Amino acid sequence: MTKSDDTVKSGGTVISDDAVRVETTVDTEEGARNVARSVVEHQVAACAQVSGPITSFYRWEGQVQNDPEWIVVIKTTSDRLDALTSRILDVHPYDVPEIVAVPVVGGNPAYLDWVREETRAGGTA
């Protein structure tokens, strides 16, 4: 079962027109878990994984910094991206959090359907 706008390739892989993968980083594991839990609880994301620690290098206030961070990878749909961004901004501890969205161009049709269902009120979980 695929959304009517999707195209199924050979082998059953689907080219998606609406799934999105979003990444953000947080300075503590607890903070990353809080972001992940909040976006799923508010149904603006189907799932989120926390990984880390990683080491991030970046320029902030004129200085090159490097700090340990935890990355949160979030799956949602393009029409929920604004709500997801708003939720992340509400719970994120940074002044200017990284929120980067990348379109998902393909994947397992059943998984992509699940992402759509879980980002709507009354999801299956």
Side-chain angles (χ1 to χ4, degrees):
M1 171 169 84
T2 63
K3 190 173 146 235
S4 60
D5 295 341
D6 290 343
T7 303
V8 178
K9 293 172 45 177
S10 64
T13 301
V14 84
I15 299 173
S16 174
D17 69 334
D18 70 341
V20 180
R21 177 180 160 133
V22 177
E23 295 182 4
T24 191
T25 53
V26 182
D27 59 346
T28 66
E29 183 177 8
E30 180 182 348
R33 287 175 180 269
N34 184 46
V35 168
R37 184 177 304 105
S38 181
V39 298
V40 171
E41 284 178 349
H42 285 83
Q43 286 186 294
V44 293
C47 65
Q49 292 90 30
V50 174
S51 298
I54 60 172
T55 302
S56 292
F57 290 82
Y58 56 96
R59 184 178 306 276
W60 184 251
E61 298 178 344
Q63 304 265 339
V64 174
Q65 310 283 330
N66 68 288
D67 290 299
E69 291 187 300
W70 280 255
I71 190 165
V72 184
V73 177
I74 305 161
K75 270 68 96 201
T76 193
T77 55
S78 58
D79 65 327
R80 298 295 281 153
L81 188 54
D82 288 344
L84 173 65
T85 299
S86 179
R87 168 78 350 225
I88 293 171
L89 291 171
D90 284 347
V91 298
H92 205 289
Y94 291 2
D95 293 337
V96 182
E98 169 192 10
I99 302 172
V100 178
V102 179
V104 173
V105 296
N108 175 357
Y111 179 81
L112 296 173
D113 285 343
W114 175 80
V115 169
R116 286 183 200 103
E117 291 168 12
E118 289 304 314
T119 56
R120 305 300 181 259
T124 60

